[in-house]
Amino acid sequence: MSPTYGAPEVSAQAVRAGRGDRVAFKASCPDCRARFELDAGALRLAIGGSRRTTFYSFTCPECGAPVRKPAGERIVELLTGGGVNTLRSV
């Protein structure tokens, strides 16, 4: 199955988790339209040399669809600040 492309819809919020704060990212799936929270480990961020090659991706926990969405400056800032693994390419 090919990745689904859509408008960026990720936001971050600190969530109390026992011993401290963890960051949860709110996201949605354009295939099944589910809304959910993802931990940093469930997201991947690729920063390329252009807008086309800068994106984040994840697998929908509801339907299993691969999702790939563009990442502008604000999204990159949120994801990197929240501990999402980042791949930088030149």
Side-chain angles (χ1 to χ4, degrees):
M1 179 179 259
S2 63
T4 301
Y5 296 88
E9 291 183 18
V10 70
S11 62
Q13 69 181 34
V15 177
R16 289 274 173 209
R19 291 191 222 162
D21 291 339
R22 71 172 175 87
V23 176
F25 296 93
K26 291 184 179 184
S28 63
C29 176
D31 279 359
C32 70
R33 300 195 185 276
R35 295 184 155 311
F36 39 82
E37 290 185 353
L38 298 171
D39 289 330
L43 292 154
R44 293 159 303 281
L45 174 63
I47 300 176
S50 70
R51 296 181 97 187
R52 186 170 183 227
T53 58
T54 300
F55 61 89
Y56 67 98
S57 62
F58 58 90
T59 300
C60 175
E62 298 294 321
C63 70
V67 180
R68 177 178 165 166
K69 296 185 179 185
E73 288 181 32
R74 179 69 179 136
I75 299 297
V76 169
E77 182 181 317
L78 284 170
L79 296 177
T80 55
V84 172
N85 285 331
T86 303
L87 171 66
R88 294 181 188 268
S89 61
V90 179

